[in-house]
Amino acid sequence: INMKEILAVKIVLKCLEQTIMNKELHLITDSTVAKSYISKGYGKKKDLSEIARDIWTYVESLGSMIRKVSYVPSKDNTEAD
């Protein structure tokens, strides 16, 4: 499930490419693992770390920057993933 959560962030960012270009981003996730890996850009699991680095590289290639990554519990997540 951790892989799916972090991949979901990557896919959403790619879908929103034109919208997020040259922007400062605040990402919100209902996964503490995704939050941790994306915030730091790495973690203990190699596969998740690679995706986190891919996210950072992709965002930077758009001239954008991830300013903040926040966690919201699933029960409080009123918007669809």
Side-chain angles (χ1 to χ4, degrees):
I1 191 145
N2 293 329
M3 177 66 75
K4 287 181 181 181
E5 292 286 349
I6 199 167
L7 278 173
V9 173
K10 183 177 179 180
I11 290 166
V12 167
L13 291 172
K14 291 203 179 241
C15 290
L16 295 173
E17 180 176 308
Q18 295 299 316
T19 304
I20 66 171
M21 198 172 285
N22 299 311
K23 305 277 188 201
E24 293 184 3
L25 307 177
H26 176 191
L27 306 179
I28 301 171
T29 178
D30 61 359
S31 166
T32 57
V33 172
K35 177 195 179 291
S36 178
Y37 274 82
I38 295 167
S39 294
K40 293 189 262 180
Y42 67 91
K44 293 181 181 180
K45 304 259 182 179
K46 183 179 177 185
D47 53 350
L48 299 178
S49 292
E50 286 177 13
I51 297 168
R53 283 191 299 273
D54 287 348
I55 288 170
W56 275 93
T57 301
Y58 177 68
V59 166
E60 290 172 350
S61 77
L62 298 176
S64 299
M65 172 163 281
I66 298 170
R67 286 287 180 200
K68 186 175 182 181
V69 183
S70 297
Y71 165 75
V72 61
S74 296
K75 67 180 181 71
D76 298 332
N77 184 3
T78 58
E79 298 194 26
D81 288 330

